[in-house]
Short mmCIF file of all heavy atoms in Angstrom, two decimals:
data_model
loop_
_atom_site.label_atom_id
_atom_site.label_comp_id
_atom_site.label_asym_id
_atom_site.label_seq_id
_atom_site.Cartn_x
_atom_site.Cartn_y
_atom_site.Cartn_z
N LEU Z 4 -2.11 -9.59 -5.22
CA LEU Z 4 -1.49 -10.77 -5.79
C LEU Z 4 -1.76 -10.95 -7.22
O LEU Z 4 -0.91 -11.53 -7.95
CB LEU Z 4 -1.92 -12.00 -4.95
CG LEU Z 4 -1.42 -12.13 -3.50
CD1 LEU Z 4 -2.12 -13.25 -2.79
CD2 LEU Z 4 0.07 -12.20 -3.43
N LYS Z 5 -2.90 -10.58 -7.71
CA LYS Z 5 -3.35 -10.75 -9.08
C LYS Z 5 -2.79 -9.73 -10.06
O LYS Z 5 -2.99 -9.85 -11.23
CB LYS Z 5 -4.86 -10.74 -9.15
CG LYS Z 5 -5.51 -11.90 -8.46
CD LYS Z 5 -6.98 -11.76 -8.56
CE LYS Z 5 -7.67 -12.82 -7.69
NZ LYS Z 5 -9.11 -12.57 -7.54
N HIS Z 6 -2.13 -8.66 -9.55
CA HIS Z 6 -1.67 -7.58 -10.38
C HIS Z 6 -0.16 -7.38 -10.32
O HIS Z 6 0.45 -7.73 -9.29
CB HIS Z 6 -2.37 -6.30 -10.02
CG HIS Z 6 -3.84 -6.34 -10.32
ND1 HIS Z 6 -4.78 -6.95 -9.50
CD2 HIS Z 6 -4.55 -5.89 -11.42
CE1 HIS Z 6 -5.98 -6.89 -10.05
NE2 HIS Z 6 -5.89 -6.23 -11.22
N ASP Z 7 0.41 -6.81 -11.40
CA ASP Z 7 1.87 -6.54 -11.49
C ASP Z 7 2.24 -5.14 -11.18
O ASP Z 7 3.38 -4.89 -10.78
CB ASP Z 7 2.32 -6.92 -12.92
CG ASP Z 7 1.85 -8.28 -13.34
OD1 ASP Z 7 2.27 -9.27 -12.73
OD2 ASP Z 7 0.96 -8.38 -14.25
N VAL Z 8 1.33 -4.23 -11.45
CA VAL Z 8 1.57 -2.79 -11.26
C VAL Z 8 0.53 -2.23 -10.29
O VAL Z 8 -0.67 -2.47 -10.53
CB VAL Z 8 1.54 -2.06 -12.59
CG1 VAL Z 8 1.78 -0.53 -12.43
CG2 VAL Z 8 2.51 -2.60 -13.63
N ILE Z 9 0.96 -1.53 -9.28
CA ILE Z 9 0.07 -0.93 -8.31
C ILE Z 9 0.18 0.58 -8.34
O ILE Z 9 1.28 1.06 -8.21
CB ILE Z 9 0.38 -1.42 -6.88
CG1 ILE Z 9 0.62 -2.93 -6.82
CG2 ILE Z 9 -0.66 -0.93 -5.84
CD1 ILE Z 9 -0.54 -3.81 -7.30
N ILE Z 10 -0.91 1.24 -8.59
CA ILE Z 10 -0.92 2.71 -8.58
C ILE Z 10 -1.85 3.23 -7.48
O ILE Z 10 -3.02 2.89 -7.37
CB ILE Z 10 -1.43 3.24 -9.90
CG1 ILE Z 10 -0.45 2.74 -11.10
CG2 ILE Z 10 -1.48 4.82 -9.92
CD1 ILE Z 10 -0.96 3.16 -12.44
N TRP Z 11 -1.21 4.03 -6.59
CA TRP Z 11 -1.96 4.65 -5.47
C TRP Z 11 -2.41 6.01 -6.07
O TRP Z 11 -1.64 6.97 -6.20
CB TRP Z 11 -1.10 4.85 -4.25
CG TRP Z 11 -0.61 3.49 -3.74
CD1 TRP Z 11 -1.44 2.47 -3.34
CD2 TRP Z 11 0.67 3.07 -3.59
NE1 TRP Z 11 -0.71 1.38 -2.93
CE2 TRP Z 11 0.62 1.76 -3.02
CE3 TRP Z 11 1.94 3.65 -3.81
CZ2 TRP Z 11 1.80 1.02 -2.74
CZ3 TRP Z 11 3.09 2.95 -3.49
CH2 TRP Z 11 2.96 1.62 -2.94
N HIS Z 12 -3.71 6.10 -6.44
CA HIS Z 12 -4.27 7.30 -7.11
C HIS Z 12 -5.10 8.06 -6.13
O HIS Z 12 -6.11 7.55 -5.62
CB HIS Z 12 -5.08 6.77 -8.29
CG HIS Z 12 -5.69 7.84 -9.11
ND1 HIS Z 12 -5.72 7.80 -10.48
CD2 HIS Z 12 -6.32 9.07 -8.81
CE1 HIS Z 12 -6.32 8.87 -10.95
NE2 HIS Z 12 -6.71 9.62 -9.90
N HIS Z 13 -4.74 9.27 -5.86
CA HIS Z 13 -5.42 10.10 -4.85
C HIS Z 13 -5.13 11.55 -4.99
O HIS Z 13 -4.06 11.95 -5.48
CB HIS Z 13 -5.02 9.65 -3.42
CG HIS Z 13 -3.52 9.64 -3.22
ND1 HIS Z 13 -2.95 10.76 -2.61
CD2 HIS Z 13 -2.57 8.79 -3.46
CE1 HIS Z 13 -1.60 10.55 -2.49
NE2 HIS Z 13 -1.33 9.40 -3.04
N PRO Z 14 -5.99 12.44 -4.45
CA PRO Z 14 -5.63 13.80 -4.35
C PRO Z 14 -4.63 13.95 -3.19
O PRO Z 14 -4.55 13.13 -2.28
CB PRO Z 14 -6.97 14.47 -3.96
CG PRO Z 14 -7.81 13.44 -3.33
CD PRO Z 14 -7.32 12.13 -3.94
N PHE Z 15 -3.85 15.02 -3.27
CA PHE Z 15 -2.84 15.33 -2.25
C PHE Z 15 -3.52 16.00 -1.15
O PHE Z 15 -3.86 17.21 -1.28
CB PHE Z 15 -1.77 16.20 -2.94
CG PHE Z 15 -0.41 16.00 -2.40
CD1 PHE Z 15 0.10 14.74 -2.02
CD2 PHE Z 15 0.42 17.10 -2.35
CE1 PHE Z 15 1.39 14.57 -1.55
CE2 PHE Z 15 1.81 16.94 -1.87
CZ PHE Z 15 2.23 15.71 -1.53
N TYR Z 16 -3.76 15.34 -0.01
CA TYR Z 16 -4.39 15.92 1.17
C TYR Z 16 -3.41 16.23 2.24
O TYR Z 16 -2.78 15.30 2.73
CB TYR Z 16 -5.46 14.97 1.71
CG TYR Z 16 -6.81 15.12 1.06
CD1 TYR Z 16 -7.00 15.59 -0.17
CD2 TYR Z 16 -7.97 14.68 1.79
CE1 TYR Z 16 -8.28 15.66 -0.75
CE2 TYR Z 16 -9.21 14.76 1.23
CZ TYR Z 16 -9.38 15.26 0.00
OH TYR Z 16 -10.63 15.39 -0.58
N TRP Z 17 -3.23 17.45 2.58
CA TRP Z 17 -2.28 17.83 3.64
C TRP Z 17 -0.99 17.06 3.49
O TRP Z 17 -0.45 16.51 4.41
CB TRP Z 17 -2.91 17.63 5.08
CG TRP Z 17 -3.86 18.71 5.33
CD1 TRP Z 17 -5.22 18.68 5.22
CD2 TRP Z 17 -3.54 20.04 5.72
NE1 TRP Z 17 -5.79 19.88 5.52
CE2 TRP Z 17 -4.74 20.78 5.77
CE3 TRP Z 17 -2.42 20.70 5.97
CZ2 TRP Z 17 -4.82 22.08 6.15
CZ3 TRP Z 17 -2.43 22.09 6.31
CH2 TRP Z 17 -3.64 22.74 6.44
N TYR Z 18 -0.45 17.19 2.26
CA TYR Z 18 0.89 16.64 1.95
C TYR Z 18 0.96 15.09 2.06
O TYR Z 18 2.02 14.54 2.24
CB TYR Z 18 1.97 17.29 2.85
CG TYR Z 18 1.86 18.80 2.83
CD1 TYR Z 18 1.35 19.47 3.96
CD2 TYR Z 18 2.13 19.56 1.66
CE1 TYR Z 18 1.19 20.87 3.92
CE2 TYR Z 18 2.01 20.88 1.70
CZ TYR Z 18 1.54 21.56 2.78
OH TYR Z 18 1.40 22.90 2.77
N SER Z 19 -0.15 14.46 1.94
CA SER Z 19 -0.16 13.01 2.04
C SER Z 19 -1.40 12.52 1.26
O SER Z 19 -1.83 13.08 0.30
CB SER Z 19 -0.22 12.60 3.49
OG SER Z 19 -0.09 11.19 3.66
N ALA Z 20 -1.95 11.38 1.74
CA ALA Z 20 -3.13 10.76 1.12
C ALA Z 20 -4.33 10.91 2.03
O ALA Z 20 -4.26 11.10 3.18
CB ALA Z 20 -2.79 9.27 0.89
N PRO Z 21 -5.53 10.76 1.43
CA PRO Z 21 -6.71 10.71 2.26
C PRO Z 21 -6.70 9.57 3.27
O PRO Z 21 -5.99 8.56 3.07
CB PRO Z 21 -7.82 10.49 1.20
CG PRO Z 21 -7.28 10.99 -0.11
CD PRO Z 21 -5.83 10.70 0.00
N SER Z 22 -7.39 9.71 4.31
CA SER Z 22 -7.32 8.80 5.43
C SER Z 22 -7.59 7.38 5.16
O SER Z 22 -6.96 6.45 5.70
CB SER Z 22 -8.23 9.24 6.62
OG SER Z 22 -9.58 9.32 6.14
N LEU Z 23 -8.53 7.06 4.23
CA LEU Z 23 -8.88 5.67 3.94
C LEU Z 23 -7.72 4.99 3.20
O LEU Z 23 -7.42 3.79 3.44
CB LEU Z 23 -10.12 5.56 3.06
CG LEU Z 23 -10.60 4.13 2.81
CD1 LEU Z 23 -10.81 3.33 4.11
CD2 LEU Z 23 -11.94 4.19 2.06
N LEU Z 24 -6.95 5.69 2.48
CA LEU Z 24 -5.74 5.10 1.81
C LEU Z 24 -4.71 4.82 2.86
O LEU Z 24 -4.07 3.79 2.82
CB LEU Z 24 -5.21 5.98 0.70
CG LEU Z 24 -4.00 5.40 -0.05
CD1 LEU Z 24 -4.30 4.02 -0.67
CD2 LEU Z 24 -3.52 6.36 -1.16
N LYS Z 25 -4.52 5.69 3.82
CA LYS Z 25 -3.58 5.39 4.92
C LYS Z 25 -4.04 4.17 5.67
O LYS Z 25 -3.21 3.38 6.06
CB LYS Z 25 -3.54 6.65 5.82
CG LYS Z 25 -2.65 6.47 7.06
CD LYS Z 25 -1.21 6.22 6.72
CE LYS Z 25 -0.19 6.26 7.92
NZ LYS Z 25 0.04 4.95 8.52
N GLU Z 26 -5.29 4.06 5.97
CA GLU Z 26 -5.89 2.85 6.66
C GLU Z 26 -5.55 1.65 5.85
O GLU Z 26 -5.20 0.61 6.36
CB GLU Z 26 -7.37 3.06 6.84
CG GLU Z 26 -8.05 1.92 7.57
CD GLU Z 26 -7.86 1.93 9.08
OE1 GLU Z 26 -7.10 2.79 9.61
OE2 GLU Z 26 -8.44 1.09 9.74
N TRP Z 27 -5.75 1.72 4.52
CA TRP Z 27 -5.44 0.65 3.62
C TRP Z 27 -3.99 0.16 3.76
O TRP Z 27 -3.71 -1.02 3.93
CB TRP Z 27 -5.73 1.01 2.17
CG TRP Z 27 -5.53 0.01 1.13
CD1 TRP Z 27 -6.50 -0.84 0.67
CD2 TRP Z 27 -4.28 -0.31 0.49
NE1 TRP Z 27 -5.87 -1.71 -0.28
CE2 TRP Z 27 -4.58 -1.38 -0.41
CE3 TRP Z 27 -3.01 0.22 0.54
CZ2 TRP Z 27 -3.58 -1.92 -1.27
CZ3 TRP Z 27 -2.07 -0.32 -0.35
CH2 TRP Z 27 -2.36 -1.41 -1.17
N PHE Z 28 -3.08 1.12 3.83
CA PHE Z 28 -1.65 0.77 4.03
C PHE Z 28 -1.47 0.08 5.30
O PHE Z 28 -0.76 -0.92 5.44
CB PHE Z 28 -0.72 2.08 3.94
CG PHE Z 28 -0.28 2.40 2.62
CD1 PHE Z 28 -1.00 3.11 1.70
CD2 PHE Z 28 1.05 2.02 2.22
CE1 PHE Z 28 -0.58 3.42 0.43
CE2 PHE Z 28 1.52 2.29 0.94
CZ PHE Z 28 0.73 3.01 0.10
N ASP Z 29 -2.00 0.67 6.39
CA ASP Z 29 -1.84 0.11 7.73
C ASP Z 29 -2.32 -1.29 7.86
O ASP Z 29 -1.71 -2.12 8.58
CB ASP Z 29 -2.55 0.99 8.78
CG ASP Z 29 -1.92 2.36 8.94
OD1 ASP Z 29 -0.79 2.60 8.50
OD2 ASP Z 29 -2.61 3.26 9.50
N LEU Z 30 -3.43 -1.64 7.19
CA LEU Z 30 -4.00 -2.99 7.36
C LEU Z 30 -3.62 -3.95 6.32
O LEU Z 30 -3.35 -5.14 6.62
CB LEU Z 30 -5.58 -2.84 7.36
CG LEU Z 30 -6.11 -2.01 8.51
CD1 LEU Z 30 -7.65 -1.90 8.37
CD2 LEU Z 30 -5.72 -2.56 9.88
N VAL Z 31 -3.54 -3.59 5.09
CA VAL Z 31 -3.36 -4.53 3.99
C VAL Z 31 -1.90 -4.95 3.84
O VAL Z 31 -1.59 -6.10 3.58
CB VAL Z 31 -3.90 -3.93 2.64
CG1 VAL Z 31 -3.57 -4.82 1.46
CG2 VAL Z 31 -5.40 -3.68 2.78
N LEU Z 32 -0.98 -3.98 3.96
CA LEU Z 32 0.41 -4.32 3.82
C LEU Z 32 0.98 -4.85 5.13
O LEU Z 32 1.95 -4.26 5.73
CB LEU Z 32 1.21 -3.08 3.34
CG LEU Z 32 0.70 -2.51 2.01
CD1 LEU Z 32 1.60 -1.32 1.62
CD2 LEU Z 32 0.61 -3.54 0.92
N GLU Z 33 0.48 -5.95 5.60
CA GLU Z 33 0.83 -6.47 6.93
C GLU Z 33 2.11 -7.31 6.88
O GLU Z 33 2.49 -7.86 5.80
CB GLU Z 33 -0.32 -7.19 7.55
CG GLU Z 33 -0.82 -8.35 6.84
CD GLU Z 33 -2.10 -9.00 7.41
OE1 GLU Z 33 -2.47 -8.59 8.54
OE2 GLU Z 33 -2.60 -9.92 6.77
N HIS Z 34 2.76 -7.38 8.00
CA HIS Z 34 3.96 -8.14 8.20
C HIS Z 34 3.65 -9.64 7.86
O HIS Z 34 2.57 -10.16 8.24
CB HIS Z 34 4.40 -8.06 9.67
CG HIS Z 34 5.74 -8.72 9.95
ND1 HIS Z 34 5.78 -10.02 10.25
CD2 HIS Z 34 7.00 -8.28 9.86
CE1 HIS Z 34 7.09 -10.39 10.43
NE2 HIS Z 34 7.82 -9.34 10.14
N GLY Z 35 4.55 -10.26 7.21
CA GLY Z 35 4.29 -11.67 6.78
C GLY Z 35 3.67 -11.78 5.46
O GLY Z 35 3.65 -12.86 4.84
N PHE Z 36 3.05 -10.73 4.97
CA PHE Z 36 2.44 -10.70 3.64
C PHE Z 36 3.26 -9.80 2.75
O PHE Z 36 3.82 -10.29 1.73
CB PHE Z 36 0.98 -10.24 3.66
CG PHE Z 36 0.43 -10.01 2.28
CD1 PHE Z 36 0.01 -11.05 1.49
CD2 PHE Z 36 0.29 -8.69 1.82
CE1 PHE Z 36 -0.49 -10.85 0.26
CE2 PHE Z 36 -0.24 -8.46 0.53
CZ PHE Z 36 -0.60 -9.51 -0.26
N ALA Z 37 3.37 -8.50 3.15
CA ALA Z 37 4.04 -7.56 2.22
C ALA Z 37 5.52 -7.33 2.62
O ALA Z 37 6.24 -6.89 1.76
CB ALA Z 37 3.26 -6.24 2.35
N TYR Z 38 5.85 -7.62 3.85
CA TYR Z 38 7.23 -7.37 4.25
C TYR Z 38 7.56 -8.33 5.38
O TYR Z 38 6.69 -9.03 5.88
CB TYR Z 38 7.49 -5.89 4.65
CG TYR Z 38 6.75 -5.52 5.93
CD1 TYR Z 38 7.50 -5.54 7.15
CD2 TYR Z 38 5.46 -5.18 6.00
CE1 TYR Z 38 6.87 -5.15 8.33
CE2 TYR Z 38 4.79 -4.78 7.16
CZ TYR Z 38 5.51 -4.81 8.34
OH TYR Z 38 4.90 -4.45 9.50
N GLY Z 39 8.84 -8.33 5.79
CA GLY Z 39 9.31 -9.21 6.84
C GLY Z 39 9.94 -10.44 6.22
O GLY Z 39 9.97 -10.61 5.00
N ARG Z 40 10.46 -11.33 7.07
CA ARG Z 40 11.15 -12.48 6.61
C ARG Z 40 10.28 -13.34 5.60
O ARG Z 40 10.81 -13.84 4.63
CB ARG Z 40 11.59 -13.33 7.79
CG ARG Z 40 12.50 -14.51 7.46
CD ARG Z 40 13.00 -15.20 8.62
NE ARG Z 40 13.86 -14.25 9.44
CZ ARG Z 40 14.15 -14.30 10.70
NH1 ARG Z 40 13.66 -15.22 11.40
NH2 ARG Z 40 14.88 -13.44 11.27
N GLU Z 41 9.05 -13.47 5.96
CA GLU Z 41 8.14 -14.34 5.12
C GLU Z 41 7.32 -13.48 4.16
O GLU Z 41 6.61 -14.01 3.33
CB GLU Z 41 7.21 -15.09 6.01
CG GLU Z 41 7.85 -15.88 7.12
CD GLU Z 41 8.48 -17.16 6.65
OE1 GLU Z 41 7.84 -17.83 5.74
OE2 GLU Z 41 9.51 -17.57 7.13
N GLY Z 42 7.39 -12.14 4.25
CA GLY Z 42 6.52 -11.30 3.46
C GLY Z 42 7.09 -10.87 2.10
O GLY Z 42 7.72 -9.81 2.00
N ASN Z 43 6.94 -11.74 1.13
CA ASN Z 43 7.45 -11.52 -0.17
C ASN Z 43 6.36 -11.41 -1.29
O ASN Z 43 6.66 -11.44 -2.45
CB ASN Z 43 8.42 -12.61 -0.55
CG ASN Z 43 9.60 -12.62 0.37
OD1 ASN Z 43 10.21 -11.61 0.69
ND2 ASN Z 43 9.92 -13.79 0.91
N ALA Z 44 5.12 -11.25 -0.87
CA ALA Z 44 3.99 -11.31 -1.80
C ALA Z 44 4.11 -10.22 -2.91
O ALA Z 44 3.65 -10.42 -3.99
CB ALA Z 44 2.68 -11.21 -1.08
N LEU Z 45 4.71 -9.10 -2.62
CA LEU Z 45 4.74 -7.99 -3.58
C LEU Z 45 6.10 -7.80 -4.18
O LEU Z 45 6.27 -6.90 -5.06
CB LEU Z 45 4.33 -6.68 -2.82
CG LEU Z 45 2.95 -6.79 -2.13
CD1 LEU Z 45 2.64 -5.47 -1.41
CD2 LEU Z 45 1.86 -7.16 -3.08
N GLU Z 46 6.98 -8.64 -3.91
CA GLU Z 46 8.36 -8.55 -4.46
C GLU Z 46 8.36 -8.47 -5.96
O GLU Z 46 7.70 -9.27 -6.67
CB GLU Z 46 9.23 -9.72 -4.00
CG GLU Z 46 10.63 -9.61 -4.42
CD GLU Z 46 11.52 -10.70 -3.77
OE1 GLU Z 46 11.01 -11.58 -3.07
OE2 GLU Z 46 12.73 -10.68 -4.06
N GLY Z 47 9.00 -7.41 -6.50
CA GLY Z 47 9.20 -7.27 -7.88
C GLY Z 47 8.09 -6.53 -8.59
O GLY Z 47 8.16 -6.20 -9.80
N LYS Z 48 6.97 -6.22 -7.92
CA LYS Z 48 5.90 -5.52 -8.53
C LYS Z 48 6.30 -4.02 -8.64
O LYS Z 48 7.16 -3.53 -7.94
CB LYS Z 48 4.63 -5.63 -7.63
CG LYS Z 48 4.08 -7.05 -7.66
CD LYS Z 48 2.79 -7.19 -6.89
CE LYS Z 48 2.32 -8.59 -6.70
NZ LYS Z 48 1.71 -9.19 -7.94
N ILE Z 49 5.65 -3.36 -9.52
CA ILE Z 49 5.88 -1.95 -9.76
C ILE Z 49 4.87 -1.12 -8.98
O ILE Z 49 3.68 -1.49 -8.90
CB ILE Z 49 5.88 -1.57 -11.24
CG1 ILE Z 49 7.01 -2.29 -11.97
CG2 ILE Z 49 5.90 -0.12 -11.53
CD1 ILE Z 49 6.87 -2.31 -13.48
#
């Protein structure tokens, strides 16, 4: 919420990201916060 630009910085592990970053996506970008009808917290960010 405090930042305008988000950079996911990681080595390329098996054509994706390391497991903790995947866990971060699964938990942090939750419905109602990051997406969904009410989830507009990240709208317009880069």
Side-chain angles (χ1 to χ4, degrees):
L4 291 172
K5 293 176 188 171
H6 292 82
D7 309 295
V8 178
I9 313 303
I10 299 176
W11 300 301
H12 182 137
H13 57 93
F15 212 37
Y16 271 27
W17 284 100
Y18 312 107
S19 187
S22 59
L23 186 54
L24 184 55
K25 176 64 170 95
E26 180 80 357
W27 182 93
F28 269 84
D29 291 345
L30 298 177
V31 175
L32 301 182
E33 61 187 351
H34 185 272
F36 171 76
Y38 70 97
R40 188 173 296 157
E41 308 281 323
N43 298 313
L45 305 179
E46 185 172 0
K48 293 182 186 283
I49 295 170

